PDB file of all heavy atoms in Angstrom:
ATOM      1  N   ARG B1096      19.483 -13.154  11.390  1.00 98.00           N
ATOM      2  CA  ARG B1096      20.480 -13.909  12.162  1.00 98.00           C
ATOM      3  C   ARG B1096      21.387 -12.986  12.963  1.00 98.00           C
ATOM      4  O   ARG B1096      22.131 -13.423  13.822  1.00 98.00           O
ATOM      5  CB  ARG B1096      21.321 -14.771  11.212  1.00 98.00           C
ATOM      6  CG  ARG B1096      20.539 -15.921  10.587  1.00 98.00           C
ATOM      7  CD  ARG B1096      21.285 -16.528   9.438  1.00 98.00           C
ATOM      8  NE  ARG B1096      21.545 -15.525   8.390  1.00 98.00           N
ATOM      9  CZ  ARG B1096      22.207 -15.772   7.260  1.00 98.00           C
ATOM     10  NH1 ARG B1096      22.670 -16.984   7.039  1.00 98.00           N
ATOM     11  NH2 ARG B1096      22.400 -14.809   6.378  1.00 98.00           N
ATOM     12  N   ASN B1097      21.336 -11.678  12.618  1.00 98.00           N
ATOM     13  CA  ASN B1097      22.244 -10.721  13.257  1.00 98.00           C
ATOM     14  C   ASN B1097      21.519  -9.810  14.249  1.00 98.00           C
ATOM     15  O   ASN B1097      21.957  -8.682  14.494  1.00 98.00           O
ATOM     16  CB  ASN B1097      22.928  -9.870  12.178  1.00 98.00           C
ATOM     17  CG  ASN B1097      21.907  -9.173  11.284  1.00 98.00           C
ATOM     18  OD1 ASN B1097      20.698  -9.387  11.422  1.00 98.00           O
ATOM     19  ND2 ASN B1097      22.385  -8.327  10.377  1.00 98.00           N
ATOM     20  N   LEU B1098      20.417 -10.297  14.800  1.00 98.00           N
ATOM     21  CA  LEU B1098      19.596  -9.442  15.658  1.00 98.00           C
ATOM     22  C   LEU B1098      20.363  -8.907  16.869  1.00 98.00           C
ATOM     23  O   LEU B1098      20.050  -7.831  17.386  1.00 98.00           O
ATOM     24  CB  LEU B1098      18.343 -10.214  16.113  1.00 98.00           C
ATOM     25  CG  LEU B1098      17.180  -9.386  16.665  1.00 98.00           C
ATOM     26  CD1 LEU B1098      16.712  -8.335  15.668  1.00 98.00           C
ATOM     27  CD2 LEU B1098      16.015 -10.294  17.040  1.00 98.00           C
ATOM     28  N   ALA B1099      21.370  -9.637  17.289  1.00 98.00           N
ATOM     29  CA  ALA B1099      22.133  -9.198  18.472  1.00 98.00           C
ATOM     30  C   ALA B1099      22.816  -7.846  18.238  1.00 98.00           C
ATOM     31  O   ALA B1099      23.153  -7.151  19.201  1.00 98.00           O
ATOM     32  CB  ALA B1099      23.165 -10.260  18.856  1.00 98.00           C
ATOM     33  N   LEU B1100      22.969  -7.459  16.975  1.00 98.00           N
ATOM     34  CA  LEU B1100      23.573  -6.141  16.699  1.00 98.00           C
ATOM     35  C   LEU B1100      22.727  -5.000  17.265  1.00 98.00           C
ATOM     36  O   LEU B1100      23.219  -3.895  17.483  1.00 98.00           O
ATOM     37  CB  LEU B1100      23.732  -5.937  15.183  1.00 98.00           C
ATOM     38  CG  LEU B1100      24.825  -6.761  14.488  1.00 98.00           C
ATOM     39  CD1 LEU B1100      24.781  -6.523  12.975  1.00 98.00           C
ATOM     40  CD2 LEU B1100      26.193  -6.385  15.043  1.00 98.00           C
ATOM     41  N   VAL B1101      21.443  -5.284  17.485  1.00 98.00           N
ATOM     42  CA  VAL B1101      20.533  -4.279  18.047  1.00 98.00           C
ATOM     43  C   VAL B1101      21.083  -3.742  19.379  1.00 98.00           C
ATOM     44  O   VAL B1101      20.907  -2.572  19.709  1.00 98.00           O
ATOM     45  CB  VAL B1101      19.128  -4.915  18.252  1.00 98.00           C
ATOM     46  CG1 VAL B1101      18.240  -4.074  19.134  1.00 98.00           C
ATOM     47  CG2 VAL B1101      18.463  -5.177  16.915  1.00 98.00           C
ATOM     48  N   ILE B1102      21.771  -4.605  20.097  1.00 98.00           N
ATOM     49  CA  ILE B1102      22.249  -4.216  21.441  1.00 98.00           C
ATOM     50  C   ILE B1102      23.379  -3.181  21.316  1.00 98.00           C
ATOM     51  O   ILE B1102      23.229  -2.036  21.744  1.00 98.00           O
ATOM     52  CB  ILE B1102      22.744  -5.449  22.219  1.00 98.00           C
ATOM     53  CG1 ILE B1102      21.660  -6.543  22.240  1.00 98.00           C
ATOM     54  CG2 ILE B1102      23.154  -5.057  23.639  1.00 98.00           C
ATOM     55  CD1 ILE B1102      22.195  -7.924  22.572  1.00 98.00           C
ATOM     56  N   GLY B1103      24.451  -3.601  20.712  1.00 98.00           N
ATOM     57  CA  GLY B1103      25.620  -2.727  20.656  1.00 98.00           C
ATOM     58  C   GLY B1103      25.348  -1.427  19.914  1.00 98.00           C
ATOM     59  O   GLY B1103      25.867  -0.365  20.270  1.00 98.00           O
ATOM     60  N   LYS B1104      24.512  -1.521  18.878  1.00 98.00           N
ATOM     61  CA  LYS B1104      24.221  -0.296  18.099  1.00 98.00           C
ATOM     62  C   LYS B1104      23.058   0.497  18.698  1.00 98.00           C
ATOM     63  O   LYS B1104      22.700   1.540  18.177  1.00 98.00           O
ATOM     64  CB  LYS B1104      23.875  -0.681  16.660  1.00 98.00           C
ATOM     65  CG  LYS B1104      24.998  -1.327  15.861  1.00 98.00           C
ATOM     66  CD  LYS B1104      24.573  -1.341  14.382  1.00 98.00           C
ATOM     67  CE  LYS B1104      25.404  -2.261  13.546  1.00 98.00           C
ATOM     68  NZ  LYS B1104      25.027  -2.184  12.112  1.00 98.00           N
ATOM     69  N   ARG B1105      22.447  -0.020  19.732  1.00 98.00           N
ATOM     70  CA  ARG B1105      21.265   0.625  20.375  1.00 98.00           C
ATOM     71  C   ARG B1105      20.214   0.972  19.321  1.00 98.00           C
ATOM     72  O   ARG B1105      19.775   2.128  19.174  1.00 98.00           O
ATOM     73  CB  ARG B1105      21.654   1.884  21.170  1.00 98.00           C
ATOM     74  CG  ARG B1105      22.278   1.588  22.507  1.00 98.00           C
ATOM     75  CD  ARG B1105      23.791   1.361  22.396  1.00 98.00           C
ATOM     76  NE  ARG B1105      24.538   2.606  22.511  1.00 98.00           N
ATOM     77  CZ  ARG B1105      25.760   2.789  22.021  1.00 98.00           C
ATOM     78  NH1 ARG B1105      26.387   1.797  21.377  1.00 98.00           N
ATOM     79  NH2 ARG B1105      26.370   3.951  22.172  1.00 98.00           N
ATOM     80  N   LEU B1106      19.828  -0.037  18.536  1.00 98.00           N
ATOM     81  CA  LEU B1106      18.862   0.183  17.457  1.00 98.00           C
ATOM     82  C   LEU B1106      17.435   0.150  17.993  1.00 98.00           C
ATOM     83  O   LEU B1106      17.153  -0.521  18.992  1.00 98.00           O
ATOM     84  CB  LEU B1106      19.007  -0.890  16.374  1.00 98.00           C
ATOM     85  CG  LEU B1106      20.385  -1.031  15.738  1.00 98.00           C
ATOM     86  CD1 LEU B1106      20.361  -2.134  14.675  1.00 98.00           C
ATOM     87  CD2 LEU B1106      20.831   0.290  15.116  1.00 98.00           C
ATOM     88  N   ARG B1107      16.556   0.838  17.298  1.00 98.00           N
ATOM     89  CA  ARG B1107      15.116   0.752  17.607  1.00 98.00           C
ATOM     90  C   ARG B1107      14.400   0.212  16.381  1.00 98.00           C
ATOM     91  O   ARG B1107      14.461   0.811  15.302  1.00 98.00           O
ATOM     92  CB  ARG B1107      14.578   2.134  17.987  1.00 98.00           C
ATOM     93  CG  ARG B1107      13.071   2.157  18.178  1.00 98.00           C
ATOM     94  CD  ARG B1107      12.612   3.298  19.089  1.00 98.00           C
ATOM     95  NE  ARG B1107      12.894   4.635  18.586  1.00 98.00           N
ATOM     96  CZ  ARG B1107      12.181   5.246  17.648  1.00 98.00           C
ATOM     97  NH1 ARG B1107      11.167   4.644  17.073  1.00 98.00           N
ATOM     98  NH2 ARG B1107      12.491   6.474  17.261  1.00 98.00           N
ATOM     99  N   LEU B1108      13.746  -0.926  16.549  1.00 98.00           N
ATOM    100  CA  LEU B1108      12.927  -1.518  15.477  1.00 98.00           C
ATOM    101  C   LEU B1108      11.481  -1.433  15.939  1.00 98.00           C
ATOM    102  O   LEU B1108      11.123  -2.012  16.962  1.00 98.00           O
ATOM    103  CB  LEU B1108      13.303  -2.989  15.263  1.00 98.00           C
ATOM    104  CG  LEU B1108      14.494  -3.344  14.374  1.00 98.00           C
ATOM    105  CD1 LEU B1108      15.775  -2.699  14.866  1.00 98.00           C
ATOM    106  CD2 LEU B1108      14.677  -4.856  14.319  1.00 98.00           C
TER     107      LEU B1108
END
Side-chain angles (χ1 to χ4, degrees):
R1096 291 166 301 179
N1097 56 356
L1098 197 56
L1100 288 176
V1101 166
I1102 307 161
K1104 295 193 195 184
R1105 282 86 88 204
L1106 303 180
R1107 174 156 63 78
L1108 276 58

